[in-house]
Amino acid sequence: MLNIGKLTRAMSLLALTCSAQVIAEASPPVPSSPREIIVASCSGCHAQNGEGRWFRISDQRKTPEAWQMTLVRMELVHQAKFVDPAGGDSQAALRTLVKYFADTQGLAPAESAPYRYILEQELNTIEQHDTEQFRTMCARCHTGARVALQRRTEDEWRNLVHFHLGQFPTTEYQMMGRDRDWLGLALNEVVPYLNEHFPLQTDAWQQWQSASRHNFEASWRVVGSMPGRGAFSGTMVTAAKGDDHYSVAFNGQFEDGETLEGSGSAVVYTGYEWRASLKLGDTRYRQVLASTSDGGELTGRMFQREHSEWGLRMQAVRDTGQSSVLAVQPGHLRTGSEGSLRIVGTNLKGDVNLGPGLKVLETVSRDKDQVLVRFRAEATAAAGARAIKVGAVELADAITVFGKIDRLAVEPAYAVGRVGGNEGSQPAVQAIFEAIAWGAGDDGQAGTADDLRIGPVTAQWSVAPYTEQAVQDQDLRFAGQMEKDSGVFTPAAAGPNPERKYQTNNAGNLKVIATIEQDGKPMQGDGHLMVTVQRWNNPPIR
Amino acid sequence: MYKVNSVYTNAGVACRAAMFGLLATVAISGCAEKENPVQAADESATPGDFLVVVNRPNTLHLVDLKQRKVANSCQLPGDFGPATVAMSPDNRVAYVLTNRFENIYGVDVDTCEIRFSARQSQGDERVKSIGSIAVSPDGREVYTHQNPTRLLIDRYEVQPTRIAVFDTAGGLDAKPVRTFVAPRQISIMATGADGTLYLGGRDIYAMNVQTGETRIALASQSVGDPLESPRDSLTVWPIGGVNHEMVRMYSAARFKDASQDMETADYVWGFERIDLATGVAEAKVFGPLEVVLFSGMARPSDPNQFYAALTQLKKFDVASQQELQSVDLEHSYYCVNFSTDGSEVYLAGTFNDIAIYDADSLEKLGNIELPGGDMALANTQVFSRAL
């Protein structure tokens, strides 16, 4: 675990590992305070600037991941050492600093909310940028989210521009650099823009600092779904270990019965940023979740450490003894059909009521956290999203009733896969697609604004060349394999391929096609897949 | 003055160099002092065309193009990159920009003697040069375009870019004898016969190297043609030596009319050149933009034929703006060059081989493999030597 590269280590340090805990328990240190560590580690270069303030350090706020990246840069580029004057080890000192900075110079929940996809490693998100200038100046090497997840004074935004060009002098020579006065624009237009949109002082942060903090020791009901695997439900039990650290026991299953079970540990940063590191079966996972302001729910994504493309979008709801309905699986059903539904919640009591036109035929099984029923939907049942009830408790928009599927979409509409796996380099990055069914909505026209999203359906998958160039270059043959039943595409091996023209690598430009059959007729939807080269640098914030 | 090793034959010299302690970075294992220093190569054994290029780890090669073989190899101090080479007017000394874009070495290509070196970064200022190095026509001065950054204790401060002038007789720890503030984003340079320094950036600028006075010699991005999109020029390959010109390609969209409709526009390749004898500047479209090309130049024997390469080698007729011929290459080559008589094309860059093509037929004539690693962004310089 400690032998992996430093940048990967940057990710793993955000949540304590099991082995680190054991060491900590074996020799209880008397750790220094964060400020003592800063004085010992940083003040040689960053002079003190008032009580508990240091030049460069104190005029910016950012996420725990971003603090981690900055501190790792201090170590790699400037040879800073993380020194605990009380003699604790340097990795513990680094963790202490990340925690301290994230707590005291973090982001308010409202500030991080629009950009959580990047923390959650939803890497196929297509970003929408405020201005074309922001996109070309600041979101061409990394995401715009990396920028928008920081708050700084104007001076600190300016320092950041100087850092960029000083550290990466080719910035102003590259495409979208050499076509403009990059430095002039960055200093005179972008810095004021950033200062206006992402200033150090905000009301949101002011309020969040005085908001009450929660104890996250609880029993949690988990619901979610993992593209490529399906719906999931489970439980998570957490126990406080002090200082916002928790142990985590996780247990649950996919709709096909396969289980995901194991344990790990978590840290809560900034009062709401939940980061856990878990070992489930043989696979290491991370949770990047955010708490609601009442501390009652954690939502976000749990993904594989080595394959972040595999992730569970999840919601963990604190079990307070109250009854609640959290999800219905599957989330849609067709009029005139019969089938079964799993209703997931906490402390479920009373009858299941699916609303007019949907009849519960039989309760197959039930316990306090879930009910399995068989239903029949009348042909005349009203289409649309509807609430369901268990006893007196209701869940709005719990299930979507549809007459027929009018169009099929592929999600993500655009995805990137990466070749890999040759000579133990970077593993290939798979691309995982879902087929999403849509109804035409009230206007009877598919493809219009009032279309009804029905939800993910099982499909057959194939790929085709996206362009004429892809035909000529035989991308279909070289780029990798699509799993016919699951929508999972596995890119081919990395490195130059002597069989290909110009000995290029196994990149490819492919159309992804999902096919379903409805009433004996096929229906297709398609998406776009770019298979490209490895990324060597995979920091926690892309 | 001392010699660094000629990598493959001359370990003894390297040992000596290392012992003199003039450059701690000479990396050589197994120094055997008793070995007699062997002279690397006879001084310019054959008349005819030669090519100079640098590859990884940081090795300059003198290639005898007629014999199709590496005539001499000189290990340069420091790390690789970008390995841009400019030749002295007598073609004896190669001035190489290397060591992570920071140092300049003037190397005697026949003896491997390092005659000149300069460390551009000084004190708290880190200086990088991106492909921009040129030698004065009298061989007395070498010019670089410098991108300085002050590395302060807790922050960086980007400084104005400038031209640094070095005296080629400045020795092994040369410092600039003059500096002039210059435009940013300069990626190639060349000197005219009258001593003017040309700087290829957002436009091509001409600088008087005595006064620093700078004017636009060729308006590129600032040309303001309503029928053309802003030009884009990607180059770190000063290659016009055999034509005595500075040349670079650009891509642009040509509009049908002032409405600037991208839908109906033609995408074109053009070149921009400065005749280094006369200073005359010229920009011209030479063909349709169909694939990405990295570098190109006119055929020495026929300026109406323009050749460019990346994954294909293409030949264009400049007057008619038509592609005449195209061949697929075995892998991509970044840097095009020509024999002095225009009969052969030399493709380099990317990996570690130089591919030779017949300029008439575009038939492949052979490869010269360089010992060592890839050339990456390195340029080639071709020149002829008479006996």
Side-chain angles (χ1 to χ4, degrees), chain A residues 76-236:
Chain A
L76 291 180
V77 177
H78 308 303
Q79 282 79 49
K81 302 264 176 296
F82 306 109
V83 180
D84 177 350
D89 83 277
S90 74
Q91 290 312 304
L94 170 55
R95 285 193 296 268
T96 302
L97 290 182
V98 171
K99 177 85 171 81
Y100 174 75
F101 287 130
D103 288 348
T104 56
Q105 295 170 228
L107 298 189
E111 291 173 324
S112 68
Y115 307 103
R116 300 203 65 81
Y117 54 88
I118 208 65
L119 303 173
E120 293 166 350
Q121 307 253 342
E122 288 277 24
L123 301 180
N124 287 315
T125 306
I126 294 171
E127 293 195 299
Q128 303 296 326
H129 300 293
D130 237 19
T131 66
E132 181 62 8
Q133 184 177 66
F134 178 77
R135 183 183 75 80
T136 55
M137 291 292 290
C138 302
R140 70 175 160 90
C141 300
H142 45 67
T143 58
R146 183 186 282 188
V147 186
L149 284 172
Q150 300 215 352
R151 297 294 182 276
R152 294 172 177 244
T153 58
E154 184 156 10
D155 275 351
E156 277 308 323
W157 284 118
R158 189 175 304 111
N159 281 331
L160 184 70
V161 167
H162 282 276
F163 161 71
H164 272 75
L165 200 51
Q167 190 74 0
F168 313 110
T170 51
T171 302
E172 60 181 334
Y173 288 83
Q174 297 162 349
M175 195 186 275
M176 294 189 256
R178 61 177 176 262
D179 63 342
R180 66 194 73 193
D181 171 16
W182 194 89
L183 180 61
L185 290 175
L187 293 176
N188 303 325
E189 296 184 18
V190 178
V191 165
Y193 168 89
L194 294 169
N195 185 48
E196 187 190 329
H197 288 80
F198 308 115
L200 183 68
Q201 310 289 356
T202 63
D203 292 345
W205 179 240
Q206 205 69 39
Q207 283 157 17
W208 179 248
Q209 278 176 298
S210 51
S212 59
R213 297 293 186 252
H214 302 283
N215 181 344
F216 291 89
E217 176 166 293
S219 180
W220 307 79
R221 183 73 169 122
V222 177
V223 289
S225 102
M226 184 187 285
R229 289 294 290 107
F232 179 89
S233 60
T235 57
M236 192 163 88

Side-chain angles (χ1 to χ4, degrees), chain A residues 506-518:
Chain A
N506 288 320
N509 185 1
L510 299 174
K511 184 167 159 180
V512 174
I513 303 160
T515 309
I516 59 167
E517 199 168 288
Q518 180 174 249

Side-chain angles (χ1 to χ4, degrees), chain A residues 56 162 172 177-178 180 502, chain B residues 158 184-185 221 232 311:
Chain A
R56 297 303 317 276
H162 282 276
E172 60 181 334
R178 61 177 176 262
R180 66 194 73 193
Y502 314 125
Chain B
V158 174
R184 302 194 73 86
Q185 298 159 302
Q221 285 183 28
D232 182 44
T311 51

Side-chain angles (χ1 to χ4, degrees), chain B residues 50-52 60-64 70-72 109-110 383 385:
Chain B
F50 286 79
L51 175 150
V52 162
L60 177 130
H61 301 280
L62 175 68
V63 179
D64 184 329
V70 176
N72 193 22
V109 296
D110 297 300
F383 49 87
R385 282 179 164 183

Side-chain angles (χ1 to χ4, degrees), chain A residues 47 54 82 113 131 170 173 179 195 224 261 275 292 304 330 343 371 414 428 430 437 450 535:
Chain A
W54 290 267
F82 306 109
T131 66
T170 51
Y173 288 83
D179 63 342
N195 185 48
E261 184 175 355
R275 300 292 184 272
T292 48
Q304 292 187 9
I343 297 153
V371 187
Y414 177 79
Q430 295 172 308
D450 78 336
R535 261 187 76 125

Side-chain angles (χ1 to χ4, degrees), chain B residues 67-294:
Chain B
Q67 308 269 329
R68 304 252 194 272
K69 65 164 211 222
V70 176
N72 193 22
S73 300
C74 305
Q75 179 67 58
L76 301 174
D79 293 330
F80 183 78
T84 316
V85 183
M87 294 304 295
S88 65
D90 64 2
N91 294 317
R92 297 279 162 195
V93 180
Y95 292 90
V96 184
L97 183 63
T98 190
N99 195 34
R100 299 164 189 257
F101 302 73
E102 290 187 27
N103 296 10
I104 311 156
Y105 295 99
V107 195
D108 184 313
V109 296
D110 297 300
T111 66
C112 295
E113 183 186 335
I114 301 228
R115 302 247 201 109
F116 171 89
S117 74
R119 190 183 297 266
Q120 300 197 89
S121 295
Q122 295 285 332
D124 69 2
E125 196 180 72
R126 179 164 69 197
V127 174
K128 304 269 181 186
S129 295
I130 318 293
S132 293
I133 181 166
V135 182
S136 66
D138 62 7
R140 289 203 177 150
E141 291 186 331
V142 56
Y143 310 106
T144 59
H145 177 264
Q146 300 191 321
N147 292 270
T149 301
R150 285 191 70 198
L151 308 183
L152 302 170
I153 189 147
D154 64 355
R155 67 197 168 89
Y156 291 174
E157 198 179 272
V158 174
Q159 304 297 309
T161 49
R162 61 189 179 227
I163 292 296
V165 181
F166 296 88
D167 182 341
T168 53
L172 297 182
D173 187 20
K175 301 280 187 296
V177 291
R178 302 188 296 283
T179 60
F180 301 110
V181 170
R184 302 194 73 86
Q185 298 159 302
I186 302 301
S187 69
I188 54 168
M189 300 201 306
T191 47
D194 64 356
T196 300
L197 179 65
Y198 294 97
L199 291 68
R202 297 180 57 210
D203 289 316
I204 297 180
Y205 310 90
M207 179 182 274
N208 178 324
V209 291
Q210 302 308 324
T211 63
E213 191 190 322
T214 303
R215 65 183 167 86
I216 292 180
L218 189 153
S220 184
Q221 285 183 28
S222 71
V223 69
D225 180 346
L227 294 183
E228 190 178 89
S229 71
R231 296 178 191 171
D232 182 44
S233 183
L234 160 76
T235 183
V236 284
W237 303 279
I239 50 176
V242 292
N243 289 332
H244 207 55
E245 68 180 3
M246 178 188 200
V247 64
R248 64 178 195 180
M249 305 199 305
Y250 67 85
S251 55
R254 295 287 313 174
F255 303 117
K256 293 278 179 280
D257 53 49
S259 72
Q260 304 205 338
D261 185 354
M262 280 287 185
E263 294 288 305
T264 59
D266 292 326
Y267 290 83
V268 296
W269 281 114
F271 63 76
E272 295 172 339
R273 67 182 289 271
I274 308 276
D275 183 323
L276 296 176
T278 63
V280 170
E282 179 190 24
K284 219 173 202 160
V285 170
F286 66 82
L289 193 167
E290 278 155 4
V291 297
V292 177
L293 298 166
F294 268 20

